[in-house]
């Protein structure tokens, strides 16, 4: 039976937007964001939008591979299907091709968006309703000098930011990385609402990680957590051993691609925090599963982002309003980059 919510077309776009300034992280220097946007149109004329944010080598998917699987396999399979049948649609996509979480995630977001527009309700209401009305922000800083960090933090504190993430993993000399933490603490550490974390983006090995922790222990610096210091391929036993050697909370990002990854990491007792990224994690539906796993295990959530446009971020914002567990992270930290 045909309905007003049947899908009649799927359009696919590649959008490239330059960054205001280059963004240096462990795996290179980003000068632009290049993502895939899809538009799922229903028979009533409603259009739901989704977004995929491939970022190799952080992800195994590329813009080209995402477009290829969407255009050649997934989009044709959506025609004639009803937006209300999201679970059946996503199961069909899983059976048709393994992996491709970001391509599937773009579709999942678009289906939720179309459903919300049909019903005249935001996604967070479809998922049970918001329990918070505001979400403070975190500002990420690229790998740069301590002096550049201090100046950027000064500027962003003037704009209202109070939590900052120092990207690391480029510098091999850990004394220089610790110098960045020390400089930020020297200028702003006495402020009660100032929060600082570091993210090597898998850029350290075990030796670098131990050196950083050893050198940092000799200071009186405040540091709220360390995100993904070791590669995703690191064994659970090695990660757990490293975790046992530090008093600083550990956040996992690249290690948590799926709900199964999250389940296994929680079973190993590794993360104190899980970085949730709607595009990386395959859409709103699997991201909500990860958030639920964290909540029942009393593990905090960092709603994080890739080099995203507004569609993915809007999806993450809807998830971020659903639970108060995100409010316990660094007192005010719920949204990162």
């Amino acid at each position: 039976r045909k309905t007003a919510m049947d899908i009649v077309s799927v359009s696919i776009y590649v959008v490239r937007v330059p960054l205001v300034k280059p963004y240096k992280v462990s795996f290179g220097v980003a000068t632009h964001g290049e993502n895939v946007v899809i538009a799922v149109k229903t028979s009533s004329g409603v259009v739901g939008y989704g977004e995929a944010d491939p970022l190799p080598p952080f992800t195994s998917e590329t813009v080209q591979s995402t477009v290829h699987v969407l255009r050649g396999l997934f989009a044709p399979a959506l025609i004639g299907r009803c937006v209300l049948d999201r679970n059946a649609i996503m199961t069909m996509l899983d059976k048709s091709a393994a992996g491709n979480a970001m391509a599937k995630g773009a579709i999942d977001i678009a289906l939720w968006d179309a459903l919300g527009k049909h019903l005249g309700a935001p996604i967070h209401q479809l998922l049970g309703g918001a329990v918070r009305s505001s979400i403070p922000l975190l500002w990420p800083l690229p790998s740069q000098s301590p002096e550049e960090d201090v100046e950027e933090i000064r500027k962003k504190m003037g704009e209202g930011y109070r939590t900052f993430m120092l990207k690391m993993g480029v510098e091999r000399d850990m004394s220089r990385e610790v110098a960045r933490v020390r400089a930020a603490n020297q200028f702003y550490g006495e402020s009660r609402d100032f929060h600082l974390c570091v993210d090597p983006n898998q850029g350290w090995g075990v030796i670098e990680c131990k050196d950083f922790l050893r050198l940092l222990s000799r200071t009186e610096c405040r540091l709220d957590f360390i995100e993904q210091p070791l590669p995703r391929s690191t064994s659970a036993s090695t990660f757990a051993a490293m975790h046992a050697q530090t008093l600083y909370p550990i956040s996992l990002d690249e290690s948590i691609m799926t709900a199964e990854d999250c389940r296994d990491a929680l079973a190993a007792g590794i993360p104190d925090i899980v970085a949730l990224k709607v595009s990386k994690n395959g859409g709103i539906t699997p991201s909500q599963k990860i958030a639920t796993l964290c909540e029942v295990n009393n593990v905090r959530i960092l709603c994080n982002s890739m080099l995203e446009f507004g569609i993915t971020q809007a999806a993450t914002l809807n998830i971020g309003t659903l639970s108060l567990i995100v409010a316990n992270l660094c007192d005010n930290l719920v949204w990162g980059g």
Side-chain angles (χ1 to χ4, degrees), residues 68-86:
H68 179 77
V69 74
L70 283 170
R71 186 166 291 156
L73 189 60
F74 292 167
L78 296 179
I79 305 303
R81 300 301 296 260
C82 179
V83 168
L84 286 172
D85 296 329
R86 179 182 43 78

Side-chain angles (χ1 to χ4, degrees), residues 140-153:
L141 290 81
S143 290
Q144 56 190 9
S145 69
E147 294 76 19
E148 291 171 310
D149 286 337
V150 168
E151 176 57 25
E152 190 166 347
I153 291 172

Side-chain angles (χ1 to χ4, degrees), residues 21-332:
K21 68 175 186 178
Y23 190 60
K24 188 177 182 181
V25 293
S26 64
F27 50 81
V29 180
T31 58
H32 61 274
E34 185 175 31
N35 300 324
V36 182
V37 174
I38 69 168
V40 174
K41 186 176 181 180
T42 67
S43 53
S44 66
V46 166
V47 179
Y49 292 96
E51 179 184 332
D53 307 303
L55 188 62
F58 180 90
T59 66
S60 59
E61 295 166 81
T62 66
V63 168
Q64 293 75 18
S65 70
T66 301
V67 170
H68 179 77
V69 74
L70 283 170
R71 186 166 291 156
L73 189 60
F74 292 167
L78 296 179
I79 305 303
R81 300 301 296 260
C82 179
V83 168
L84 286 172
D85 296 329
R86 179 182 43 78
N87 285 345
I89 290 172
M90 300 312 296
T91 299
M92 173 189 67
L93 298 182
D94 285 338
K95 290 180 178 179
S96 66
N100 295 286
M102 290 192 160
K104 293 172 183 175
I107 293 172
D108 182 77
I109 295 169
L111 294 177
W112 278 108
D113 187 40
L115 178 60
K117 288 174 178 174
H118 270 289
L119 299 177
I123 292 170
H124 68 78
Q125 287 187 343
L126 304 182
L127 292 170
V131 296
R132 56 188 303 129
S133 59
S134 64
I135 300 181
L137 304 180
L138 171 153
W139 183 261
L141 290 81
S143 290
Q144 56 190 9
S145 69
E147 294 76 19
E148 291 171 310
D149 286 337
V150 168
E151 176 57 25
E152 190 166 347
I153 291 172
R154 182 196 64 77
K155 177 181 177 181
K156 292 303 175 180
M157 288 191 77
E159 296 177 10
Y161 290 90
R162 292 296 180 268
T163 303
F164 301 88
M165 174 180 281
L166 305 182
K167 291 291 186 177
M168 296 185 173
V170 176
E171 178 61 59
R172 296 295 93 185
D173 184 349
M174 292 298 101
S175 65
R176 295 184 180 182
E177 298 287 45
V178 171
R180 297 178 65 198
V181 178
R182 185 183 294 112
N185 271 266
Q186 180 180 348
F187 281 88
Y188 306 107
E190 294 183 3
S191 174
R192 294 185 63 183
D193 61 351
F194 174 76
H195 297 283
L196 189 69
C197 54
V198 301
D199 180 10
N201 280 118
Q202 308 182 82
W204 294 343
V206 173
I207 293 176
E208 288 87 359
C209 190
K210 287 182 176 180
D211 284 347
F212 179 83
L213 294 172
R214 175 178 54 81
L215 293 169
L216 190 64
S217 68
R218 298 176 181 175
T219 72
E220 296 182 356
C221 291
R222 292 168 53 187
L223 190 64
D224 290 278
F225 68 89
I226 302 171
E227 182 160 290
Q228 197 70 42
L230 302 174
R232 183 176 187 268
S233 59
T234 302
S235 68
S237 60
T238 299
F239 237 127
M242 183 276 297
H243 184 264
Q245 295 177 25
T246 177
L247 297 176
Y248 298 108
I250 297 297
S251 171
L252 292 185
D253 179 0
E254 292 92 330
S255 289
I256 308 295
M257 295 291 186
T258 66
E260 292 74 21
D261 290 338
C262 185
R263 177 200 62 202
D264 294 344
L266 291 170
I270 299 172
D272 302 291
I273 303 158
V274 167
L276 195 70
K277 295 180 177 177
V278 169
S279 185
K280 173 198 75 171
N281 295 132
I284 291 171
T285 305
S287 294
Q288 183 65 6
K289 292 178 181 179
I290 291 172
T292 300
L293 279 170
C294 291
E295 191 158 18
V296 299
N297 284 277
N298 295 313
V299 168
R300 294 168 291 175
I301 300 167
L302 169 63
C303 289
N304 218 324
S305 63
M306 313 280 282
L307 295 179
E308 298 173 355
F309 303 148
I311 299 169
T312 306
Q313 293 194 344
T316 306
L317 280 167
N318 275 272
I319 292 178
T321 65
L322 297 176
S323 174
L324 289 175
I325 194 170
V326 292
N328 297 325
L329 183 55
C330 303
D331 296 334
N332 73 340

